[in-house]
C-alpha cells in the first residue's frame, strides 16, 4: 500500500532530558513529514553521558506485547530504525521485529549506538557488543561512528589510520550484511582541523566522503540526530550522498547554533533552532567520490 505519509518504527529509548534518542528522532523526522511510531526500549530520566544517578526503566519485557499488538492491527512500516539498546535480550526481540515487519521495500537502519571517542557508554558491555555484531546482519543501513566500528570489528581505536585502511574497515562491515555503511567521526589522519563521514553503497561499489570543519566539542545525541536526518532524507527520495550531505548540513548548522551559547554540552545540540535546515535544498554539494 502506498501511504501518503511515510511511516517509521523507531525502536529506541526515551531519555527525558538531553536531546538523545526519541526526543531527537521524533521532532527531526516529524519536521520532514514522516510519521514516527516509537517502540520504547527503556525510559530514562536523562541519557547516560555526563549524567549520574539517572533513573532507568528497562522495557524489554513489554516489547513483545507491543509488537504483538502492532502485528494484530496489521501495521506496516516504510522503515525500521533502531539504536541504543537497553539490554542484550532486546537484540533477539528486535531481530524478530525485523523478520515480522519488513518486506522488500522496508529499509532497516541499525545505528549500533555503543560509545564514542574510543570508549563504551556507561551501560554498555562486551555482551552488548557481541549482540550488536549479530543485529547488524539484518540491516540495510548501519551508521557506526569510528569508535563503534572499531568495537564491531574488534580492532584498536587508532586516530592515525589512513583512508585506505578506513575503506577496508567499511568493506569488512558491509561484508557482515548491510548494503550501506555510513561511518561518522572519521579522523583525518594528520589534519586535526576537519572530520569526515564516509558512506559506502555495496550495490554501486562507491565510497562517498563528506568533510567538515572539526569543532572541538561533543554533544551527546548528535549521532541520533544525524541518523534520523539521513533516514528521513532517503525516505524522501534523496540518493546516498545527497542524504548524507544534507544530514551533515543539518548537524553542522545545529552544532554552530549551539557552540556559541554557554550551556552544558550534556544538554545536546539545539536541534529546535535548526529544524528548518532539514528541508533546505542541498546547498554546496560538499561530497566527493573516493
Ligand atoms: O544515542 C545516544 C544515547 C541514547 N540513549 C541513551 C544514551 C545515549 C548516549 O549517551 O545514554 C540512554
Amino acid at each position: 500500500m502506498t501511504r501518503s505519509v511515510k511511516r517509521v518504527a523507531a525502536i529506541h529509548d526515551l531519555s527525558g532530558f538531553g536531546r538523545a534518542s526519541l526526543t531527537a528522532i521524533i521532532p527531526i523526522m516529524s519536521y520532514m513529514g514522516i510519521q514516527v511510531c516509537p517502540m520504547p526500549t527503556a525510559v530514562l530520566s536523562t541519557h547516560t553521558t555526563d549524567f549520574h544517578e539517572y533513573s532507568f526503566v528497562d522495557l524489554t519485557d513489554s516489547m513483545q506485547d507491543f509488537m504483538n499488538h502492532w502485528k494484530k492491527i496489521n501495521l506496516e512500516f516504510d522503515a525500521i530504525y533502531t539504536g541504543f539498546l537497553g539490554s542484550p535480550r532486546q537484540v533477539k526481540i528486535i531481530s524478530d521485529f525485523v523478520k515480522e515487519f519488513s518486506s522488500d521495500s522496508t529499509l532497516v537502519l541499525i545505528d549500533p549506538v555503543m560509545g564514542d571517542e574510543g570508549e563504551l557508554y556507561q551501560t554498555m558491555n562486551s555482551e552488548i557488543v557481541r549482540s550488536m555484531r549479530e543485529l547488524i546482519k539484518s540491516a540495510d543501513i548501519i551508521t557506526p561512528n569510528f569508535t563503534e566500528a572499531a568495537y564491531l570489528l574488534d580492532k584498536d581505536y587508532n586516530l592515525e589510520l589512513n583512508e585506505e585502511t578506513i575503506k577496508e574497515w567499511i568493506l569488512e562491515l558491509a561484508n557482515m550484511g548491510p548494503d550501506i555503511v555510513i561511518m561518522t567521526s572519521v579522523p583525518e589522519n594528520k589534519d586535526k582541523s576537519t572530520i569526515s563521514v564516509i558512506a559506502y553503497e555495496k550495490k554501486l561499489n562507491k565510497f562517498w566522503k563528506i568533510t567538515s570543519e572539526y569543532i572541538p566539542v561533543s554533544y551527546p545525541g548528535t549521532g541520533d540526530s544525524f541518523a534520523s536526518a539521513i533516514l528521513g532524507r532517503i525516505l524522501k527520495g534523496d540518493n546516498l550522498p545527497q542524504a548524507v550531505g544534507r544530514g551533515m548540513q543539518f548537524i553542522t548548522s545545529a552544532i554552530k547554533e549551539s557552540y556559541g551559547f554557554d550551556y552544558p554540552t550534556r544538554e545536546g545540540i539545539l536541534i529546535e533552532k535548526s529544524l528548518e535546515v532539514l528541508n533546505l535544498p542541498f546547498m554546496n554539494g560538499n561530497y566527493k567520490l573516493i
Side-chain angles (χ1 to χ4, degrees):
M1 197 215 309
T2 314
R3 272 177 288 283
S4 51
V5 169
K6 299 268 185 182
R7 184 186 295 154
V8 176
I11 312 175
H12 294 259
D13 67 280
L14 177 77
S15 293
F17 186 71
R19 299 185 181 88
S21 50
L22 287 173
T23 56
I25 295 161
I26 297 172
I28 289 171
M29 298 195 90
S30 300
Y31 193 86
M32 286 188 277
I34 289 160
Q35 180 189 10
V36 181
C37 306
M39 171 155 134
T41 54
V43 176
L44 293 86
S45 50
T46 64
H47 60 68
T48 63
T49 304
D50 295 336
F51 286 106
H52 306 282
E53 299 174 11
Y54 47 82
S55 113
F56 186 110
V57 181
D58 183 349
L59 294 179
T60 312
D61 290 335
S62 319
M63 288 168 70
Q64 188 65 48
D65 288 347
F66 229 91
M67 197 165 120
N68 294 347
H69 186 214
W70 281 3
K71 201 65 206 164
K72 205 160 162 186
I73 59 171
N74 295 320
L75 278 189
E76 291 178 350
F77 300 100
D78 298 290
I80 298 168
Y81 168 27
T82 185
F84 184 94
L85 296 182
S87 67
R89 219 165 27 101
Q90 291 181 349
V91 173
K92 166 86 180 76
I93 301 171
I94 293 170
S95 301
D96 290 347
F97 188 100
V98 171
K99 282 191 203 108
E100 284 286 337
F101 287 92
S102 65
S103 67
D104 287 349
S105 59
T106 315
L107 264 184
V108 178
L109 189 153
I110 293 174
D111 186 2
V113 177
M114 294 187 292
D116 205 1
E117 297 181 358
E119 306 284 339
L120 291 179
Y121 295 132
Q122 285 183 61
T123 55
M124 298 293 155
N125 52 44
S126 51
E127 206 184 338
I128 297 205
V129 176
R130 278 196 300 277
S131 306
M132 205 51 105
R133 286 186 192 130
E134 283 305 303
L135 189 59
I136 61 167
K137 292 181 181 162
S138 45
D140 296 308
I141 307 177
I142 59 169
T143 53
N145 61 30
F146 186 62
T147 302
E148 290 153 352
Y151 275 98
L152 287 170
L153 295 171
D154 201 13
K155 309 245 192 217
D156 287 337
Y157 177 78
N158 172 0
L159 296 175
E160 305 286 313
L161 294 186
N162 62 30
E163 198 171 274
E164 281 315 304
T165 310
I166 291 173
K167 282 166 80 175
E168 282 164 21
W169 281 30
I170 291 176
L171 286 177
E172 278 188 53
L173 288 167
N175 285 339
M176 290 165 83
D179 296 324
I180 292 178
V181 176
I182 302 170
M183 193 194 280
T184 63
S185 304
V186 178
E188 274 300 311
N189 200 351
K190 298 198 175 51
D191 179 7
K192 304 276 183 270
S193 65
T194 60
I195 188 124
S196 296
V197 172
I198 300 181
Y200 171 72
E201 189 162 7
K202 212 187 269 174
K203 192 170 65 205
L204 306 175
N205 194 24
K206 280 184 174 156
F207 288 89
W208 304 97
K209 182 169 185 175
I210 296 131
T211 300
S212 96
E213 176 194 350
Y214 175 71
I215 301 167
V217 65
S218 168
Y219 296 94
T222 306
D224 298 327
S225 295
F226 188 51
S228 314
I230 292 173
L231 179 60
R233 291 307 323 180
I234 290 177
L235 290 172
K236 289 186 82 76
D238 279 6
N239 60 36
L240 180 63
Q242 274 178 319
V244 178
R246 270 210 175 88
M248 197 82 153
Q249 183 169 278
F250 168 63
I251 291 297
T252 309
S253 157
I255 291 177
K256 288 199 168 164
E257 284 279 7
S258 311
Y259 189 46
F261 286 104
D262 182 24
Y263 70 98
T265 52
R266 67 184 191 177
E267 294 184 17
I269 46 170
L270 304 178
I271 48 180
E272 300 83 356
K273 287 185 178 286
S274 286
L275 289 172
E276 292 110 285
V277 178
L278 289 165
N279 291 338
L280 289 182
F282 180 32
M283 308 246 245
N284 50 9
N286 55 352
Y287 59 77
K288 64 175 186 182
L289 203 53
I290 56 167

